[in-house]
Amino acid sequence: MATFTSSALAAPRILFEVSFKEPQAHYAEIKMEISGLRKDYIDIKMPVWTPGSYLVREYSRHVESLEACDEAGERMPVKKISKNTWRITAGKKDQVIVNYRIYGFEVSVRTNFIDDAHAFLSPAATFMYVDGLLDHPAEVTIVPYRTWSKISTGLEPVAGKPNTFHAPDFDILFDSPIEVGNQDIFTFEAAGVHHEIAMVGGGNYDKERLKSDCAAIVEEATRIFGVNPNKRYVFIVHNYQSGGGGLEHLNSTVLGASRNGYQNERSYVGFLGLVAHEYFHLWHVKRLRPIELGPFDYDAENYTTALWIMEGFTAYYDNLILRRCGFLSENAYLQALAGDVNTVENRAGNRIQPVALASFDAWIKYYRPDENSANTSVSYYNKGALLAMMLDLKILAATQGQKRLDDVLKAAYEEFYVKKQRGFEEHELQALIEDIAGVSVADIFRAAHTVEPLDYNQYLNAVGYELVDHNRGHELPDFGVSTSVSDGRIVVTGVNRGSGAWDGGINVKDELIAINGERLDNGGRELNRILQTAAVGDKLDVLVARDGKLRELSITLNRDTKGAFSIIPLQHATAEQESLGRIWLSR
């Protein structure tokens, strides 16, 4: 493990100390020492978002009691000049000491959470930076609460300074989450890299199995890119009664999991999929990236249309890696892939929003879903994964199985991250793919920017598989609502675009009371009976309560356009098709 000495830090110096006087109230105390600037005033700023989570989260809303003084303790005037900027009148003094508190009580992989058991620090939500000095190094000293004994972070320790860590610049600091508490820590070696797993919150996990299975994922991901850029990597896993989610970092990740889900095979494989997804980001996003995603502007949105490539390709590879490692059977893998098709094709927003625009609008839509989101938007994860599949299969077919998407990503990593040391533009990646495949992929890149239907079988058939819709040929009626039961009432939570309910005027928050004069039970039995015996074109008299008033609506049942998709072997496939299919799904 590399270490640093404080003498290696060039002036000006920026030092932080984090302590916990009232963790039970969800507070941390931050001391920031700035020396060597000698300016009339210094502006310090709190990031408004964190890389990898594309939403302005306004971290400064959790800052309070910010004060500044010199080395002798003499107070300096502080004025807040914007939502995330404080101006300190420093009078050209050599040292400025800033003290502030942060509140953290939000369970997620991207926000601070502090209680009497542990503290998870999302650095962008914790540490301020001096305006104009993002490229300067920083030192962070953690003073654990009296009952805590462990610190887990990807930051490198400073030699001779207990609980003190070095960040070469603030981009790296903001990309290095910190867990402080009594987490269960165990390690394994894979791909020449030392890996640490920090388990927070307990759980029924099997350490030896986890180490072995995570190592297999690490080895396969490293094989794809040909090199592992780290010497050390940290998994911070927060185990909850029910949890999920992950966020990638340069040499670490933060994962959410269900503490008692490790002994359930389906839940456990789902967790391994999360591990594979976030570890794949080590290359794909954190190093190989769109040109817009770095260097970052921490004051505002950083727009890109390429999240269908970054998150979508990663979502394709997470399950593919599980297949290659033997954690998914061929049938289970194809079911997972068909699940993406069902998710995309049965979402009305897929015909409204191009997936590239979904990427661009992530800042205002993806993290702020509402009752109409399914009708207006599509996920760049699911649809991006399907576009990645199409690229993979097209490359396989064009090169007779000699090349595939793996080869593209490895070449792109070398070309843009290693050689050019910059992000790529979308047209550059397309050109690289076409150079490797020897065939145009303009159809797939064009599909990312339109809402035209995807011809999956054009690509699947080439490798001996086909997508089938088990609803095709059936005339099924579509009432078109989703509901929940609240206080014994059946309440509408969503209305599907183009359905009978949509055309007939049923609203979200309507209480469904009766249909055709029959009172509905809150178990849904009567509603199911009515719909199971109805036909396309039937009219239903629906009694609803809306804002305390009764209304009767006439609903005509439209044809249900949703599919029930699966991927199966192609009948009468040629030997060449079967050979390509074996390459595609080989372990």
Side-chain angles (χ1 to χ4, degrees):
M1 183 185 301
T3 57
F4 298 85
T5 62
S6 58
S7 62
L9 300 176
R13 296 181 67 202
I14 302 174
L15 311 177
F16 292 96
E17 180 184 273
V18 183
S19 57
F20 306 91
K21 295 179 181 178
E22 296 182 301
Q24 83 289 346
H26 319 299
Y27 279 95
E29 282 67 43
I30 315 298
K31 180 166 76 172
M32 179 183 188
E33 296 184 18
I34 308 164
S35 59
L37 281 183
R38 301 183 183 89
K39 290 187 173 183
D40 288 326
Y41 67 86
I42 298 171
D43 289 345
I44 58 173
K45 306 174 74 71
M46 177 73 83
V48 302
W49 71 289
T50 190
S53 184
Y54 307 101
L55 176 69
V56 171
R57 297 186 181 275
E58 309 294 15
Y59 290 127
S60 59
R61 65 195 170 99
H62 291 310
V63 174
E64 60 183 71
S65 305
L66 190 145
E67 298 178 345
C69 65
D70 62 15
E71 190 173 9
E74 183 177 342
R75 295 279 292 270
M76 294 178 172
V78 179
K79 181 180 181 181
K80 193 171 186 180
I81 61 173
S82 76
K83 65 180 183 179
N84 66 319
T85 308
W86 289 258
R87 176 162 290 175
I88 302 167
T89 302
K92 295 184 178 179
K93 291 191 176 181
D94 181 69
Q95 188 170 51
V96 176
I97 300 172
V98 183
N99 288 283
Y100 59 94
R101 307 181 82 201
I102 54 168
Y103 177 82
F105 195 52
E106 182 177 347
V107 175
S108 84
V109 295
R110 61 190 72 86
T111 50
N112 289 330
F113 183 91
I114 305 162
D115 66 9
D116 60 358
H118 76 111
F120 169 67
L121 301 178
S122 176
T126 304
F127 301 110
M128 297 193 184
Y129 65 95
V130 177
D131 192 19
L133 295 184
L134 279 170
D135 59 345
H136 270 64
E139 237 180 54
V140 176
T141 298
I142 305 294
V143 182
Y145 186 57
R146 55 183 172 80
T147 59
W148 304 343
S149 61
K150 298 176 182 177
I151 301 170
S152 298
T153 180
L155 292 171
E156 296 294 345
V158 176
K161 291 188 175 182
N163 300 338
T164 300
F165 304 88
H166 171 81
D169 56 49
F170 276 77
D171 284 321
I172 291 178
L173 176 59
F174 293 149
D175 208 17
S176 302
I178 302 170
E179 174 67 33
V180 191
N182 297 307
Q183 57 271 27
D184 182 17
I185 297 174
F186 48 98
T187 63
F188 66 92
E189 305 290 325
V193 178
H194 180 76
H195 292 80
E196 172 185 313
I197 300 178
M199 284 288 193
V200 183
N204 62 355
Y205 50 88
D206 180 329
K207 293 183 186 181
E208 296 306 314
R209 185 183 184 190
L210 264 180
K211 289 192 286 186
S212 175
D213 292 347
C214 289
I217 291 169
V218 168
E219 295 285 359
E220 174 56 26
T222 303
R223 186 198 63 77
I224 293 169
F225 289 92
V227 63
N228 196 305
N230 288 319
K231 294 299 181 186
R232 177 172 169 265
Y233 189 92
V234 179
F235 295 94
I236 299 173
V237 185
H238 292 138
N239 293 299
Y240 308 107
Q241 184 175 26
S242 177
L247 187 61
E248 70 276 4
H249 297 282
L250 197 65
N251 66 346
S252 64
T253 186
V254 184
L255 309 176
S258 298
R259 69 170 61 94
N260 293 317
Y262 294 97
Q263 299 302 317
N264 177 286
E265 198 62 23
R266 182 174 180 179
S267 175
Y268 179 69
V269 171
F271 175 75
L272 293 182
L274 181 61
V275 170
H277 185 98
E278 301 306 336
Y279 202 85
F280 195 83
H281 274 319
L282 189 160
W283 297 271
H284 193 67
V285 165
K286 298 316 302 182
R287 291 167 175 86
L288 173 62
R289 59 173 177 79
I291 202 162
E292 302 92 348
L293 294 185
F296 295 115
D297 177 357
Y298 294 101
D299 272 348
E301 298 85 349
N302 290 227
Y303 293 103
T304 178
T305 59
L307 292 182
W308 69 273
I309 298 172
M310 307 319 298
E311 291 294 352
F313 284 27
T314 305
Y316 173 63
Y317 270 96
D318 54 26
N319 280 329
L320 192 60
I321 287 172
L322 295 192
R323 167 61 192 153
R324 292 176 182 177
C325 292
F327 302 129
L328 287 177
S329 66
E330 178 179 318
N331 184 60
Y333 173 72
L334 294 175
Q335 285 181 0
L337 205 53
D340 283 330
V341 178
N342 281 290
T343 297
V344 170
E345 294 302 320
N346 292 332
R347 187 177 176 98
N350 183 42
R351 297 289 176 261
I352 301 296
Q353 184 186 55
V355 71
L357 183 59
S359 167
F360 192 85
D361 282 349
W363 298 92
I364 58 172
K365 289 192 174 185
Y366 184 78
Y367 293 94
R368 289 174 173 149
D370 60 28
E371 70 280 353
N372 200 40
S373 292
N375 293 316
T376 62
S377 63
V378 67
S379 167
Y380 45 77
Y381 285 88
N382 303 109
K383 192 164 186 177
L386 295 174
L387 293 172
M389 176 198 73
M390 291 159 60
L391 281 169
D392 197 14
L393 302 187
K394 187 165 190 176
I395 297 167
L396 276 168
T399 63
Q400 292 76 54
Q402 297 302 305
K403 302 287 184 181
R404 61 181 307 174
L405 192 54
D406 296 33
D407 300 281
V408 169
L409 295 179
K410 182 177 180 180
Y413 181 84
E414 180 68 24
E415 175 70 14
F416 299 109
Y417 176 70
V418 177
K419 291 182 180 178
K420 293 184 177 178
Q421 299 182 2
R422 64 168 174 83
F424 63 84
E425 296 188 49
E426 193 171 302
H427 70 88
E428 293 179 309
L429 182 62
Q430 179 181 340
L432 181 65
I433 296 172
E434 292 175 342
D435 183 59
I436 290 173
V439 65
S440 172
V441 292
D443 53 335
I444 299 171
F445 276 76
R446 183 171 57 252
H449 293 268
T450 71
V451 294
E452 297 172 6
L454 301 180
D455 184 0
Y456 301 103
N457 279 330
Q458 176 185 344
Y459 308 93
L460 284 166
N461 290 174
V463 298
Y465 288 88
E466 67 174 329
L467 179 75
V468 295
D469 178 4
H470 300 284
N471 283 349
R472 187 172 183 178
H474 296 282
E475 287 284 316
L476 302 174
D478 183 19
F479 184 43
V481 301
S482 55
T483 63
S484 67
V485 176
S486 176
D487 295 329
R489 301 178 304 128
I490 304 173
V491 179
V492 175
T493 56
V495 181
N496 300 332
R497 183 187 294 271
S499 67
W502 175 280
D503 292 341
I506 289 181
N507 288 188
V508 167
K509 297 182 181 180
D510 282 354
E511 177 191 354
L512 299 181
I513 298 174
I515 295 180
N516 293 343
E518 298 287 343
R519 175 78 183 189
L520 300 181
D521 64 287
N522 59 24
R525 292 181 296 274
E526 185 63 24
L527 178 59
N528 288 338
R529 183 194 66 78
I530 292 170
L531 296 179
Q532 287 170 1
T533 58
V536 175
D538 284 358
K539 293 186 182 297
L540 304 180
D541 294 323
V542 181
L543 181 65
V544 304
R546 182 180 299 168
D547 192 28
K549 293 186 176 181
L550 296 179
R551 296 190 58 173
E552 191 164 11
L553 304 172
S554 179
I555 306 297
T556 300
L557 294 178
N558 297 339
R559 185 178 71 84
D560 191 350
T561 59
K562 293 189 291 297
F565 298 98
S566 63
I567 298 173
I568 62 175
L570 180 66
Q571 289 187 356
H572 312 300
T574 66
E576 180 182 2
Q577 289 171 322
E578 290 180 345
S579 175
L580 291 175
R582 285 192 295 270
I583 295 172
W584 175 38
L585 297 180
S586 62
R587 288 181 54 182

